[in-house]
Each structure stands twice: as structure tokens, then as C-alpha cells.
Amino acid sequence: MKIEKYKVETPKGTLQYNISGKGKPNIVLINGGSGPIEGWMKILPAISETASVFSYNRFGVAGSDKPKESQDGKSIVNTLREALTIVGFEPPYLLVGHSLGGLYANLYARLYPNEVGGIVFLESSTTKDISLDEYQGKAVKTINRMFKVFDSLSSHKQFNEVNFVKKTVDQIQQTDTFPEIPVFVITGGQENRCQRKFEKNDLRINWNCFHCQVTANTLSPKKVGIFRNYQNQLL
């Protein structure tokens, strides 16, 4: 399936996007870090049969403009919100955040709770992930520092979202509590050394805080959780 891409002019630049389907709810797909629309290719046809689905490339990805300012969580959320408004994709939204996109979905719901009807966290990053740096070896830390130096020399890579993950986490933690909305958590279920187990009302889910950057078309979910009244324990 080829995903037809259109362009929308926002106050911060041009974004590529796609809208598929004509049903309800209005679903917004939020890619993982630097991931393109094509990451949703294998699930987009199925979900667009019964819903309207908006997907897009953030600044710096594929044919969208290069970022001209720091791509922290609030900047990304507000640009997404502007794009949705301009193209006429109306709330309430079911946000689907994959990997790093889960942080943006989390922040969007906190900043604009009246616009979000629910969230699906798909192998999503969490605010706890930032603490996993301590598990990295010296070699990995050295390589990461080198990448940051190279990025700082580029006029647009210095604004890349991966350089502002900690700031995004801080923004989530400093914003109002998570709203009382349905939340689905989908994870591959593979155990690891920092795995946490949560139990509530006989509902059990293995929460993988140390997750791999998998794409939507290779995901084989084994666990699905629905959380309504105790999301803050997880988020």
C-alpha cells in the first residue's frame, strides 16, 4: 500500500500528512522518534475501514520541513494541534503514540484534556525511560556524546527531537495530572532486567520500561491493558 501524502502549512513550517477513512473515532497516529508515516503502513488500511485516521511526518522527517527551533514536547504537540485544526480534523481524538510518540500523546492529553477521548500507548516510551541511561556502558555513552556533538554542528539537527527528550519528560511531569480517559497499553511482553509488574483489580500487565524501537509493522503484541482510574501509576 502506498500512502498518499499531502502538505499543510503551519506557522512553523510545512508538514506532510495523510488522512484515511471517513468513520469515527478520529484517530491521530503519532510516530516514534524520527519515524515516517510509512511505519504505519500495515495497520493503516485496517483501522481506516471504520475510522478517520490522521498520520504525519514531524519536522525533519521525510518531506516535512527541517525544524527551525527546539523540538521539545510542547513545541511538537502545539504544531500537531495547529496542523489538525488547519486540515479540519476535529476532536475528540483517539491518540495512538508509538515509542517516543507516546510521550507526546501523554503531554497532549495533559495540555488539552477536552480534545482527547482516549489514548493507545503502543510500545510507548514512558517518563521513567530517561533514568535508563545509568544502564548504558561507557562505550554507548561515549558514542551518544559524539552524536550530540555532530548534531550541534548542523543547522537543523541541533533542533532534533531526540535531543530534547529530557525536556519533554520534564514538561509532562510539570503539567496537570493525566485526565480521566480510557487508556490502552500494548506491549510486546518480552521480559528484561528493569521490567515492572503492575496489578490492579485482577488486571495484570507486564510493563516493559526498557523497550526496543520497534516499528508498527513488526509489532506482535502479547499484552493489552485498559486503565481508567489509575493511569497515573503507569504514566
Side-chain angles (χ1 to χ4, degrees):
M1 171 189 175
K2 181 179 179 182
I3 299 178
E4 188 171 0
K5 292 184 279 289
Y6 309 96
K7 291 190 175 183
V8 55
E9 298 288 340
T10 75
K12 300 296 175 62
T14 301
L15 294 174
Q16 284 186 322
Y17 77 97
N18 171 271
I19 295 179
S20 299
K22 296 182 179 180
K24 294 293 180 182
N26 282 352
I27 299 174
V28 178
L29 303 179
I30 308 178
N31 311 342
S34 300
I37 292 176
E38 283 74 15
W40 304 103
M41 187 176 296
K42 288 194 175 181
I43 67 170
L44 186 56
I47 59 178
S48 60
E49 287 181 1
T50 56
S52 298
V53 187
F54 176 94
S55 55
Y56 78 117
N57 288 325
R58 292 193 288 275
F59 289 132
V61 178
S64 292
D65 284 352
K66 306 300 183 193
K68 300 175 182 177
E69 62 180 27
S70 301
Q71 294 301 291
D72 56 74
K74 283 189 176 180
S75 176
I76 287 173
V77 166
N78 287 329
T79 296
L80 170 58
R81 188 167 181 255
E82 289 167 347
L84 291 169
T85 299
I86 294 170
V87 302
F89 203 73
E90 299 179 347
Y93 305 121
L94 173 60
L95 302 180
V96 181
H98 170 244
S99 190
L100 185 56
L103 293 182
Y104 305 138
N106 189 333
L107 184 59
Y108 196 121
R110 292 168 186 264
L111 292 173
Y112 306 106
N114 294 332
E115 298 180 10
V116 181
I119 294 183
V120 176
F121 290 107
L122 177 61
E123 288 288 350
S124 171
S125 300
T126 76
T127 56
K128 301 286 193 301
D129 287 354
I130 198 72
S131 64
L132 296 177
D133 288 346
E134 62 187 87
Y135 293 101
Q136 294 179 346
K138 290 183 179 180
V140 174
K141 289 182 179 179
T142 300
I143 293 172
N144 286 339
R145 284 195 294 267
M146 291 174 61
F147 281 137
K148 287 183 179 180
V149 170
F150 290 139
D151 285 350
S152 67
L153 300 177
S154 170
S155 59
H156 65 271
K157 284 188 177 181
Q158 60 181 313
F159 300 131
N160 194 298
E161 60 187 331
V162 298
N163 297 322
F164 300 95
V165 175
K166 185 178 185 305
K167 185 174 181 180
T168 297
V169 169
D170 290 341
Q171 291 170 345
I172 291 173
Q173 294 174 336
Q174 294 166 6
T175 309
D176 288 342
T177 56
F178 195 84
E180 292 290 332
I181 57 174
V183 173
F184 290 68
V185 179
I186 303 178
T187 178
Q190 183 177 358
E191 294 188 0
N192 54 67
R193 61 182 174 182
C194 64
Q195 182 181 39
R196 297 183 174 192
K197 291 186 178 179
F198 295 88
E199 298 185 7
K200 186 73 174 183
N201 297 336
D202 295 326
L203 176 65
R204 297 173 174 83
I205 182 169
N206 290 331
W207 179 262
N208 295 323
C209 55
F210 187 72
H211 75 288
C212 296
Q213 293 280 345
V214 298
T215 58
N217 59 335
T218 60
L219 180 66
S220 298
K222 297 179 182 178
K223 298 289 182 179
V224 179
I226 305 177
F227 306 93
R228 294 181 185 275
N229 300 317
Y230 48 94
Q231 300 99 313
N232 290 329
Q233 296 183 32
L234 304 181
L235 307 173

PDB file of all heavy atoms in Angstrom, residues 17-39:
ATOM      1  N   TYR A  17       1.304  15.018   5.548  1.00  0.00           N
ATOM      2  CA  TYR A  17       0.294  14.300   6.315  1.00  0.00           C
ATOM      3  C   TYR A  17      -0.559  13.449   5.404  1.00  0.00           C
ATOM      4  O   TYR A  17      -0.536  13.569   4.176  1.00  0.00           O
ATOM      5  CB  TYR A  17      -0.582  15.285   7.097  1.00  0.00           C
ATOM      6  CG  TYR A  17      -1.618  16.002   6.258  1.00  0.00           C
ATOM      7  CD1 TYR A  17      -2.937  15.545   6.193  1.00  0.00           C
ATOM      8  CD2 TYR A  17      -1.275  17.119   5.495  1.00  0.00           C
ATOM      9  CE1 TYR A  17      -3.886  16.191   5.425  1.00  0.00           C
ATOM     10  CE2 TYR A  17      -2.211  17.767   4.711  1.00  0.00           C
ATOM     11  CZ  TYR A  17      -3.513  17.306   4.687  1.00  0.00           C
ATOM     12  OH  TYR A  17      -4.455  17.949   3.901  1.00  0.00           O
ATOM     13  N   ASN A  18      -1.337  12.589   6.022  1.00  0.00           N
ATOM     14  CA  ASN A  18      -2.301  11.763   5.308  1.00  0.00           C
ATOM     15  C   ASN A  18      -3.558  11.643   6.151  1.00  0.00           C
ATOM     16  O   ASN A  18      -3.480  11.553   7.378  1.00  0.00           O
ATOM     17  CB  ASN A  18      -1.733  10.363   5.034  1.00  0.00           C
ATOM     18  CG  ASN A  18      -2.788   9.403   4.476  1.00  0.00           C
ATOM     19  OD1 ASN A  18      -3.497   8.729   5.226  1.00  0.00           O
ATOM     20  ND2 ASN A  18      -2.896   9.357   3.167  1.00  0.00           N
ATOM     21  N   ILE A  19      -4.705  11.662   5.510  1.00  0.00           N
ATOM     22  CA  ILE A  19      -5.969  11.361   6.187  1.00  0.00           C
ATOM     23  C   ILE A  19      -6.628  10.223   5.426  1.00  0.00           C
ATOM     24  O   ILE A  19      -6.844  10.320   4.216  1.00  0.00           O
ATOM     25  CB  ILE A  19      -6.907  12.575   6.252  1.00  0.00           C
ATOM     26  CG1 ILE A  19      -6.304  13.685   7.125  1.00  0.00           C
ATOM     27  CG2 ILE A  19      -8.268  12.154   6.820  1.00  0.00           C
ATOM     28  CD1 ILE A  19      -7.161  14.928   7.230  1.00  0.00           C
ATOM     29  N   SER A  20      -6.933   9.144   6.128  1.00  0.00           N
ATOM     30  CA  SER A  20      -7.562   7.970   5.515  1.00  0.00           C
ATOM     31  C   SER A  20      -8.843   7.634   6.266  1.00  0.00           C
ATOM     32  O   SER A  20      -8.924   7.816   7.486  1.00  0.00           O
ATOM     33  CB  SER A  20      -6.615   6.764   5.563  1.00  0.00           C
ATOM     34  OG  SER A  20      -5.423   7.026   4.853  1.00  0.00           O
ATOM     35  N   GLY A  21      -9.834   7.141   5.552  1.00  0.00           N
ATOM     36  CA  GLY A  21     -11.084   6.730   6.178  1.00  0.00           C
ATOM     37  C   GLY A  21     -12.035   7.886   6.410  1.00  0.00           C
ATOM     38  O   GLY A  21     -11.663   9.055   6.336  1.00  0.00           O
ATOM     39  N   LYS A  22     -13.293   7.519   6.742  1.00  0.00           N
ATOM     40  CA  LYS A  22     -14.315   8.552   6.947  1.00  0.00           C
ATOM     41  C   LYS A  22     -15.187   8.283   8.167  1.00  0.00           C
ATOM     42  O   LYS A  22     -16.190   8.966   8.370  1.00  0.00           O
ATOM     43  CB  LYS A  22     -15.206   8.652   5.706  1.00  0.00           C
ATOM     44  CG  LYS A  22     -14.472   9.111   4.459  1.00  0.00           C
ATOM     45  CD  LYS A  22     -15.418   9.226   3.275  1.00  0.00           C
ATOM     46  CE  LYS A  22     -14.683   9.712   2.028  1.00  0.00           C
ATOM     47  NZ  LYS A  22     -15.595   9.825   0.858  1.00  0.00           N
ATOM     48  N   GLY A  23     -14.822   7.292   8.953  1.00  0.00           N
ATOM     49  CA  GLY A  23     -15.663   6.954  10.099  1.00  0.00           C
ATOM     50  C   GLY A  23     -15.235   7.646  11.376  1.00  0.00           C
ATOM     51  O   GLY A  23     -14.486   8.616  11.372  1.00  0.00           O
ATOM     52  N   LYS A  24     -15.716   7.130  12.487  1.00  0.00           N
ATOM     53  CA  LYS A  24     -15.368   7.635  13.814  1.00  0.00           C
ATOM     54  C   LYS A  24     -14.853   6.466  14.650  1.00  0.00           C
ATOM     55  O   LYS A  24     -15.262   5.327  14.446  1.00  0.00           O
ATOM     56  CB  LYS A  24     -16.590   8.268  14.489  1.00  0.00           C
ATOM     57  CG  LYS A  24     -17.094   9.527  13.802  1.00  0.00           C
ATOM     58  CD  LYS A  24     -16.103  10.666  13.916  1.00  0.00           C
ATOM     59  CE  LYS A  24     -16.638  11.918  13.229  1.00  0.00           C
ATOM     60  NZ  LYS A  24     -15.675  13.041  13.276  1.00  0.00           N
ATOM     61  N   PRO A  25     -13.933   6.697  15.581  1.00  0.00           N
ATOM     62  CA  PRO A  25     -13.453   7.997  16.037  1.00  0.00           C
ATOM     63  C   PRO A  25     -12.407   8.593  15.102  1.00  0.00           C
ATOM     64  O   PRO A  25     -11.982   7.947  14.140  1.00  0.00           O
ATOM     65  CB  PRO A  25     -12.819   7.656  17.393  1.00  0.00           C
ATOM     66  CG  PRO A  25     -12.283   6.269  17.187  1.00  0.00           C
ATOM     67  CD  PRO A  25     -13.323   5.584  16.337  1.00  0.00           C
ATOM     68  N   ASN A  26     -11.999   9.815  15.398  1.00  0.00           N
ATOM     69  CA  ASN A  26     -10.891  10.447  14.698  1.00  0.00           C
ATOM     70  C   ASN A  26      -9.594  10.036  15.388  1.00  0.00           C
ATOM     71  O   ASN A  26      -9.331  10.442  16.521  1.00  0.00           O
ATOM     72  CB  ASN A  26     -11.037  11.964  14.704  1.00  0.00           C
ATOM     73  CG  ASN A  26     -12.042  12.448  13.677  1.00  0.00           C
ATOM     74  OD1 ASN A  26     -12.535  11.669  12.862  1.00  0.00           O
ATOM     75  ND2 ASN A  26     -12.353  13.733  13.706  1.00  0.00           N
ATOM     76  N   ILE A  27      -8.811   9.233  14.690  1.00  0.00           N
ATOM     77  CA  ILE A  27      -7.582   8.679  15.259  1.00  0.00           C
ATOM     78  C   ILE A  27      -6.385   9.486  14.780  1.00  0.00           C
ATOM     79  O   ILE A  27      -6.269   9.798  13.592  1.00  0.00           O
ATOM     80  CB  ILE A  27      -7.413   7.205  14.851  1.00  0.00           C
ATOM     81  CG1 ILE A  27      -8.589   6.374  15.386  1.00  0.00           C
ATOM     82  CG2 ILE A  27      -6.087   6.648  15.353  1.00  0.00           C
ATOM     83  CD1 ILE A  27      -8.581   4.926  14.917  1.00  0.00           C
ATOM     84  N   VAL A  28      -5.493   9.819  15.699  1.00  0.00           N
ATOM     85  CA  VAL A  28      -4.258  10.532  15.368  1.00  0.00           C
ATOM     86  C   VAL A  28      -3.080   9.621  15.683  1.00  0.00           C
ATOM     87  O   VAL A  28      -2.877   9.233  16.839  1.00  0.00           O
ATOM     88  CB  VAL A  28      -4.132  11.853  16.153  1.00  0.00           C
ATOM     89  CG1 VAL A  28      -2.804  12.541  15.823  1.00  0.00           C
ATOM     90  CG2 VAL A  28      -5.300  12.776  15.839  1.00  0.00           C
ATOM     91  N   LEU A  29      -2.316   9.251  14.653  1.00  0.00           N
ATOM     92  CA  LEU A  29      -1.148   8.393  14.820  1.00  0.00           C
ATOM     93  C   LEU A  29       0.089   9.260  15.041  1.00  0.00           C
ATOM     94  O   LEU A  29       0.400  10.127  14.223  1.00  0.00           O
ATOM     95  CB  LEU A  29      -0.949   7.515  13.580  1.00  0.00           C
ATOM     96  CG  LEU A  29      -2.127   6.612  13.189  1.00  0.00           C
ATOM     97  CD1 LEU A  29      -1.785   5.824  11.927  1.00  0.00           C
ATOM     98  CD2 LEU A  29      -2.491   5.677  14.334  1.00  0.00           C
ATOM     99  N   ILE A  30       0.791   9.002  16.140  1.00  0.00           N
ATOM    100  CA  ILE A  30       1.977   9.791  16.488  1.00  0.00           C
ATOM    101  C   ILE A  30       3.186   8.872  16.427  1.00  0.00           C
ATOM    102  O   ILE A  30       3.354   7.977  17.257  1.00  0.00           O
ATOM    103  CB  ILE A  30       1.836  10.440  17.873  1.00  0.00           C
ATOM    104  CG1 ILE A  30       0.520  11.225  17.956  1.00  0.00           C
ATOM    105  CG2 ILE A  30       3.018  11.350  18.154  1.00  0.00           C
ATOM    106  CD1 ILE A  30       0.264  11.870  19.312  1.00  0.00           C
ATOM    107  N   ASN A  31       4.045   9.101  15.440  1.00  0.00           N
ATOM    108  CA  ASN A  31       5.173   8.219  15.151  1.00  0.00           C
ATOM    109  C   ASN A  31       6.184   8.174  16.287  1.00  0.00           C
ATOM    110  O   ASN A  31       6.266   9.075  17.124  1.00  0.00           O
ATOM    111  CB  ASN A  31       5.907   8.682  13.888  1.00  0.00           C
ATOM    112  CG  ASN A  31       4.976   8.942  12.728  1.00  0.00           C
ATOM    113  OD1 ASN A  31       3.838   8.493  12.714  1.00  0.00           O
ATOM    114  ND2 ASN A  31       5.459   9.674  11.743  1.00  0.00           N
ATOM    115  N   GLY A  32       7.020   7.134  16.250  1.00  0.00           N
ATOM    116  CA  GLY A  32       8.177   7.079  17.129  1.00  0.00           C
ATOM    117  C   GLY A  32       9.231   8.090  16.687  1.00  0.00           C
ATOM    118  O   GLY A  32       9.061   8.779  15.677  1.00  0.00           O
ATOM    119  N   GLY A  33      10.327   8.186  17.414  1.00  0.00           N
ATOM    120  CA  GLY A  33      11.359   9.168  17.138  1.00  0.00           C
ATOM    121  C   GLY A  33      11.875   9.109  15.717  1.00  0.00           C
ATOM    122  O   GLY A  33      12.401   8.083  15.290  1.00  0.00           O
ATOM    123  N   SER A  34      11.711  10.204  14.967  1.00  0.00           N
ATOM    124  CA  SER A  34      12.176  10.340  13.581  1.00  0.00           C
ATOM    125  C   SER A  34      11.553   9.315  12.647  1.00  0.00           C
ATOM    126  O   SER A  34      12.050   9.088  11.542  1.00  0.00           O
ATOM    127  CB  SER A  34      13.705  10.228  13.505  1.00  0.00           C
ATOM    128  OG  SER A  34      14.320  11.241  14.279  1.00  0.00           O
ATOM    129  N   GLY A  35      10.461   8.688  13.075  1.00  0.00           N
ATOM    130  CA  GLY A  35       9.797   7.684  12.237  1.00  0.00           C
ATOM    131  C   GLY A  35       8.878   8.329  11.214  1.00  0.00           C
ATOM    132  O   GLY A  35       8.209   9.316  11.506  1.00  0.00           O
ATOM    133  N   PRO A  36       8.801   7.762   9.992  1.00  0.00           N
ATOM    134  CA  PRO A  36       7.935   8.295   8.938  1.00  0.00           C
ATOM    135  C   PRO A  36       6.538   7.691   8.977  1.00  0.00           C
ATOM    136  O   PRO A  36       6.292   6.706   9.665  1.00  0.00           O
ATOM    137  CB  PRO A  36       8.669   7.875   7.655  1.00  0.00           C
ATOM    138  CG  PRO A  36       9.279   6.556   8.036  1.00  0.00           C
ATOM    139  CD  PRO A  36       9.669   6.682   9.497  1.00  0.00           C
ATOM    140  N   ILE A  37       5.645   8.283   8.197  1.00  0.00           N
ATOM    141  CA  ILE A  37       4.279   7.783   8.063  1.00  0.00           C
ATOM    142  C   ILE A  37       4.265   6.299   7.687  1.00  0.00           C
ATOM    143  O   ILE A  37       3.419   5.536   8.144  1.00  0.00           O
ATOM    144  CB  ILE A  37       3.509   8.596   6.999  1.00  0.00           C
ATOM    145  CG1 ILE A  37       3.268  10.029   7.483  1.00  0.00           C
ATOM    146  CG2 ILE A  37       2.191   7.923   6.652  1.00  0.00           C
ATOM    147  CD1 ILE A  37       2.594  10.909   6.445  1.00  0.00           C
ATOM    148  N   GLU A  38       5.217   5.902   6.854  1.00  0.00           N
ATOM    149  CA  GLU A  38       5.220   4.530   6.340  1.00  0.00           C
ATOM    150  C   GLU A  38       5.340   3.480   7.441  1.00  0.00           C
ATOM    151  O   GLU A  38       5.065   2.301   7.199  1.00  0.00           O
ATOM    152  CB  GLU A  38       6.370   4.357   5.339  1.00  0.00           C
ATOM    153  CG  GLU A  38       6.114   4.962   3.973  1.00  0.00           C
ATOM    154  CD  GLU A  38       6.191   6.481   3.948  1.00  0.00           C
ATOM    155  OE1 GLU A  38       6.717   7.076   4.923  1.00  0.00           O
ATOM    156  OE2 GLU A  38       5.727   7.086   2.966  1.00  0.00           O
ATOM    157  N   GLY A  39       5.751   3.870   8.640  1.00  0.00           N
ATOM    158  CA  GLY A  39       5.806   2.927   9.745  1.00  0.00           C
ATOM    159  C   GLY A  39       4.446   2.355  10.110  1.00  0.00           C
ATOM    160  O   GLY A  39       4.347   1.302  10.740  1.00  0.00           O
TER     161      GLY A  39
END
